[in-house]
Amino acid sequence: MLQGNGVVEGRPEMARRLEHLRAAVAMLILAWASSAAYGADIVNAALQGPNIDLLPVLQFVESRTPEATIEIPAAGGGEKGSMKLRSASRGTLHRWVVFTLSNPGTTPQELILAVPHQGFVGSGLMRVASSGSLVTSIQASVATDQLRKLNVLGSDAVTLTVEPGATATYAIGLASAGLRSVTLWKRGAFNAQSAEFAFFRGVILGIALLLGIAIVCLFVVRSRAVFPAAALFAWSSVAFIALDAGYFSAVSHLLPGEDGAARASAIIESLMLAGLIACLITFVELRKRSAVLGILFIMMGGGALALSVYGWFQPHLVSAIARIGFATVAVAGFAIVFGYWRAGAPRAQASLLPWSVLLAWTVVAAAGALDIFALSIMKPLITAGLVMVLVTMSFTLAQFAFNQSSGSPRFFEDSGRRALALAGSEQSVWDWQVELGELYVGPELERTLGVVPGSVSGTDLKSWMGLIH
């Protein structure tokens, strides 16, 4: 009994010792996180080229508290100093990236620090990252009033001026993990690069807008369901291009909540999915060719529209579902169009080219979202590729709009057959355009009535009415 009691009493003692050990380890980790030693290389502020990538020299700091203290190098290799970091982000984990600049020259160095916003590229597929700015704050180790934020679309840009002989450490507060690029630019090179990208974004967005307007105008030519379906996809694509270019930041303050960019992205991508499904149904007249497939995709389109509403409440989940659904519909749609094209369906033959371009764009977009290649060209490639999809789609829609008009070969062939059938049956034709007040009487009918050819046609409605029994 005594031995048994001793065993029972020993277990709480062992548990207390383990708890003390865990607390000691946690204190050590917290002390390391709140007072990290900064050991990265010092960057020469006199850049040799137009820009340098700071990502390899950044020191990443994390802390469970909104404040942390780090050691920083001093000018001229003196004793190390300290820098207190303050986080402006909410949450339980706070992140910073730190780097040091030194100017050994005799002239001030005016530089631009650029951190691109989180866009579609690198945002993921199953766990979609929030769109928008990744930077919550920027602070320097020395007192300075030369940290000025620039108004640049698609990135956070700040001017840094390093005085001659000075060494300064800078800390960038991050809203989340996943930092992909931090670039230090010379002022002139950054201005030139910004102008080039602004021109590219303007051209791409302008072409997309014109194509969206053209698709809507085709609905005036022929009232068919294919044109509203294509317009839904086209205008949601225009919104996708504008969002990824950074134009959303100009109106983000109008939306309630802190995750407005993620909500907008979820809604736009859901509408793109709904438009794509509607295009598949109407381009190949799916309901006429397969009632089962038609009903299935109509239900999927309704689900995509409902998904766009749900995106306001669960944006990250909805974006993931929309992206997986878009890829699935693109592949399945290409298989359906290709199958009907092999069967000789005219609408499928016209739809094969835009759907092939769409499938290729989907593959490139998936590679960009997953950041498989990690190339700087991926973002402009995705936006330009989406415009190419709209271009090929517009040509196909123009063919749908005009292939049965008076200028098409099929119209002349059909008219010739009708004229031969009418002449062979010894029938006559007359036409009265009431709104225009014009009358046409065929020559066969004039000969049958015994009147002078051409005396009745024109606007002589009174004479014609007198000949009608």
Side-chain angles (χ1 to χ4, degrees):
M1 293 296 295
L2 293 175
Q3 184 177 1
N5 290 338
V7 173
V8 171
E9 292 176 358
R11 287 178 180 174
E13 181 66 24
M14 182 63 68
R16 284 195 296 270
R17 291 179 180 179
L18 289 175
E19 187 64 30
H20 293 160
L21 181 60
R22 293 193 191 98
V25 172
M27 291 296 293
L28 289 175
I29 294 175
L30 182 61
W32 172 82
S34 62
S35 181
Y38 177 67
D41 296 334
I42 299 177
V43 179
N44 190 341
L47 306 183
Q48 300 299 319
N51 63 76
I52 60 171
D53 182 13
L54 290 178
L55 206 58
V57 300
L58 291 179
Q59 176 79 15
F60 289 82
V61 179
E62 291 186 351
S63 174
R64 294 288 180 182
T65 61
E67 293 185 356
T69 302
I70 61 171
E71 292 183 352
I72 60 173
E79 295 184 0
K80 293 182 178 181
S82 63
M83 179 179 179
K84 195 170 187 178
L85 307 181
R86 295 178 177 85
S87 175
S89 63
R90 298 179 180 179
T92 58
L93 186 61
H94 304 272
R95 303 177 179 89
W96 298 268
V97 289
V98 185
F99 64 96
T100 300
L101 298 179
S102 177
N103 182 11
T106 57
T107 58
Q109 297 294 330
E110 186 175 3
L111 307 171
I112 304 294
L113 177 70
V115 182
H117 289 175
Q118 176 64 62
F120 181 81
V121 176
S123 58
L125 187 62
M126 300 299 296
R127 300 179 63 181
V128 179
S130 297
S131 301
S133 174
L134 297 173
V135 176
T136 59
S137 63
I138 297 180
Q139 59 185 100
S141 60
V142 294
T144 177
D145 57 353
Q146 297 176 344
L147 287 174
R148 298 187 302 274
K149 187 174 182 179
L150 302 179
N151 187 16
V152 179
L153 285 178
S155 65
D156 292 292
V158 180
T159 60
L160 307 177
T161 301
V162 186
E163 299 296 335
T167 298
T169 299
Y170 300 89
I172 305 173
L174 301 179
S176 62
L179 188 65
R180 299 178 62 251
S181 175
V182 179
T183 308
L184 192 65
W185 290 81
K186 289 182 177 179
R187 184 63 182 263
F190 179 81
N191 292 339
Q193 185 257 5
S194 298
E196 292 176 0
F197 273 99
F199 176 77
F200 174 79
R201 284 193 299 262
V203 169
I204 290 295
L205 189 59
I207 295 174
L209 286 169
L210 290 176
L211 292 174
I213 294 172
I215 292 173
V216 173
C217 291
L218 288 176
F219 183 70
V220 180
V221 178
R222 297 195 66 191
S223 300
R224 297 291 185 270
V226 66
F227 302 113
L232 175 59
F233 177 77
W235 283 102
S236 56
S237 299
V238 170
F240 176 86
I241 294 172
L243 177 66
D244 200 51
Y247 289 100
F248 177 81
S249 59
V251 296
S252 59
H253 63 280
L254 301 178
L255 297 178
E258 299 181 357
D259 214 4
R263 290 174 174 174
S265 178
I267 294 172
I268 290 170
E269 292 179 16
S270 299
L271 292 177
M272 287 182 67
L273 173 60
L276 182 64
I277 294 172
C279 286
L280 176 60
I281 296 171
T282 55
F283 269 51
V284 296
E285 298 178 323
L286 195 57
R287 291 186 63 188
K288 294 182 180 180
R289 300 188 178 278
S290 174
V292 176
L293 286 177
I295 294 174
L296 175 62
F297 279 97
I298 288 175
M299 294 176 61
M300 291 176 61
L305 290 176
L307 200 65
S308 64
V309 178
Y310 188 59
W312 183 264
F313 306 98
Q314 294 291 337
H316 301 286
L317 175 62
V318 168
S319 291
I321 296 174
R323 293 180 182 185
I324 296 173
F326 192 96
T328 303
V329 173
V331 174
F334 178 80
I336 292 172
V337 172
F338 185 80
Y340 287 141
W341 170 72
R342 292 289 302 270
R347 295 286 289 266
Q349 292 177 359
S351 305
L352 185 61
L353 176 61
W355 217 271
S356 300
V357 177
L358 174 70
L359 182 61
W361 179 83
T362 304
V363 173
V364 175
L370 296 174
D371 204 14
I372 295 176
F373 301 109
L375 299 175
S376 59
I377 199 175
M378 288 301 298
K379 182 174 180 178
L381 183 63
I382 289 173
T383 54
L386 186 55
V387 172
M388 183 60 65
V389 172
L390 297 180
V391 169
T392 55
M393 184 179 291
S394 299
F395 281 119
T396 302
L397 293 170
Q399 185 177 350
F400 291 163
F402 299 107
N403 66 348
Q404 294 181 2
S405 65
S406 59
S408 66
R410 182 176 296 178
F411 174 81
F412 288 111
E413 293 176 4
D414 186 63
S415 299
R417 285 191 292 267
R418 293 177 182 272
L420 290 174
L422 187 63
S425 61
E426 298 182 354
Q427 299 294 318
S428 302
V429 176
W430 68 275
D431 177 42
W432 182 7
Q433 297 287 342
V434 179
E435 295 180 356
L436 301 177
E438 295 181 356
L439 175 69
Y440 169 78
V441 179
E444 301 87 356
L445 184 56
E446 290 179 326
R447 285 194 297 268
T448 303
L449 296 174
V451 299
V452 178
S455 61
V456 181
S457 293
T459 58
D460 191 3
L461 303 179
K462 184 177 181 181
S463 300
W464 173 247
M465 295 299 293
L467 295 172
I468 295 178
H469 191 276

